[in-house]
Amino acid sequence: MTGLPPDYFVYPHRRRGMDHARYPYRILPRTTPLAWPGGARVALWIAVHLGHFPMDMPLKPVVAPGGMERPYPSFWDFTQRDYGNRIGIYRMMKAMAARGLPATALISATLAREYPVLMNDIAAAGWEPACAGLDMAHIHHGQVAEAEEAAWITEATGLLRARFGDALRGWHSPAHSESHRTPDLVAKAGFAWTSGWVNDDLPYEFATEAGPMMAMPLPQDLSDQRMLHQQNMATEDYVTAILAAHAALDAEAAATGSGRILTLSVTPWLMGQAHRIGAFAGMLDAILARGGVWPATASQILAAYSGSR
């Protein structure tokens, strides 16, 4: 190859490992073995997305998955999402309560103002609250001014901490959206963990300007939004995929003696529909019937993870 300047292949961040300082390079076979309570092989983390989709949400720079697909006012889209927060969520709560399963609720903070009864019911169910930004219209990205993004985080934090207090420890940016500075601003707001990065199966320490946070694995590839809404997968195929993931993780844990995490990333306006709730309940039964499962919230998993280091 000729005609290129000498510095064409010079990359100032090139080094062994990652090209940033957020976390060190790590591969799964060489992670420190994890021990879950009771000798469980797989921790079951049910992360329930409780998003608020304003009817006038912007279309740029990107529409969040599940956002308005029709011109304003799109009652078609808005009312289905509203159905999830008033109807579908209670079917899911009932299914999980019947099996003694905890959950982490990833909450659009606007819901604390718009759906106060739902906030009370989340607390009564013993679910762990986590902040999922203001709402699905406030997408974090590099074109948002730092002061504006910080204001969004401050407002969202205030809305949920006013209801849940110190129980609010986790952050999930709407639609997995982030700017380069989002983790720093979230850490400054006092959050202990985040779940916006989809690059691992296990927790890891995440560096920020305000000190370390923990990153929780929330795989988008296994989410009901990806498979049911974006890929139009049949519900039966979604259940098959989840059970296959659990089988693989369970086998890895048995072979290595190190625990794994199965994350169920589920959404009430999808999974809480009458034609899917039976499949959801059956999927939970199938996972639990295999044994070696420890159902836990994100904070419980992180506490056990820290105890295994």
Side-chain angles (χ1 to χ4, degrees):
M1 188 178 294
T2 61
L4 296 175
D7 63 349
Y8 183 81
F9 293 105
V10 175
Y11 178 52
H13 299 292
R14 192 180 305 283
R15 60 189 176 192
R16 183 176 178 83
M18 312 305 293
D19 60 358
H20 58 75
R22 290 294 189 186
Y23 50 84
Y25 179 76
R26 183 181 80 174
I27 60 173
L28 187 62
R30 298 176 190 168
T31 55
T32 303
L34 290 175
W36 298 137
R41 296 183 298 276
V42 177
L44 176 63
W45 181 35
I46 304 177
V48 182
H49 295 268
L50 293 169
H52 180 63
F53 294 82
M55 199 178 295
D56 59 349
M57 59 189 301
L59 303 180
K60 296 181 178 180
V62 65
V63 178
M68 303 300 105
E69 299 174 2
R70 301 185 180 195
Y72 176 86
S74 179
F75 295 103
W76 171 278
D77 296 308
F78 178 83
T79 54
Q80 186 194 29
R81 309 329 179 230
D82 170 67
Y83 177 97
N85 292 330
R86 293 185 301 105
I87 310 299
I89 183 61
Y90 290 99
R91 291 195 181 109
M92 296 177 71
M93 281 183 174
K94 182 178 179 181
M96 284 182 270
R99 293 157 179 82
L101 299 177
T104 299
L106 308 177
I107 308 168
S108 287
T110 301
L111 293 177
R113 182 169 56 235
E114 302 291 334
Y115 295 75
V117 173
L118 177 57
M119 301 301 103
N120 293 340
D121 292 335
I122 288 171
W127 286 16
E128 174 188 32
C131 183
L134 266 176
D135 55 41
M136 302 305 289
H138 289 79
I139 300 298
H140 297 250
H141 58 87
Q143 299 173 26
V144 179
E146 180 174 357
E148 184 176 13
E149 185 178 11
W152 292 354
I153 293 170
T154 298
E155 182 180 357
T157 303
L159 284 169
L160 288 179
R161 285 215 172 115
R163 175 59 187 83
F164 296 106
D166 293 338
L168 188 75
R169 304 183 67 244
W171 173 274
H172 176 76
S173 292
H176 289 266
S177 63
E178 284 195 356
S179 71
H180 290 296
R181 59 183 172 263
T182 303
D184 303 312
L185 296 173
V186 168
K188 289 177 183 176
F191 289 95
W193 60 265
T194 182
S195 61
W197 292 47
V198 293
N199 59 335
D200 213 310
D201 280 343
L202 296 172
Y204 58 91
E205 192 170 279
F206 196 97
T208 78
E209 293 177 356
M213 299 176 70
M214 293 302 297
M216 277 293 293
L218 188 68
Q220 176 69 0
D221 198 56
L222 279 180
S223 73
D224 62 354
Q225 290 187 39
R226 170 62 64 86
M227 289 195 271
L228 298 178
H229 180 65
Q230 295 177 309
Q231 298 177 339
N232 296 313
M233 186 179 288
T235 305
E236 295 77 11
D237 293 337
Y238 164 78
V239 171
T240 298
I242 295 295
L243 295 180
H246 175 250
L249 294 167
D250 189 66
E252 285 183 5
T256 63
S258 178
R260 295 289 188 261
I261 300 173
L262 174 66
T263 303
L264 298 186
S265 179
V266 288
T267 313
W269 57 268
L270 289 169
M271 200 53 61
Q273 297 284 346
H275 64 283
R276 290 196 181 107
I277 194 63
F280 176 67
M283 179 178 69
L284 297 177
D285 287 338
I287 292 170
L288 295 174
R290 291 174 173 176
V293 176
W294 173 49
T297 65
S299 293
Q300 289 170 337
I301 289 171
L302 290 173
Y305 173 85
S306 297
S308 292
R309 310 325 292 157

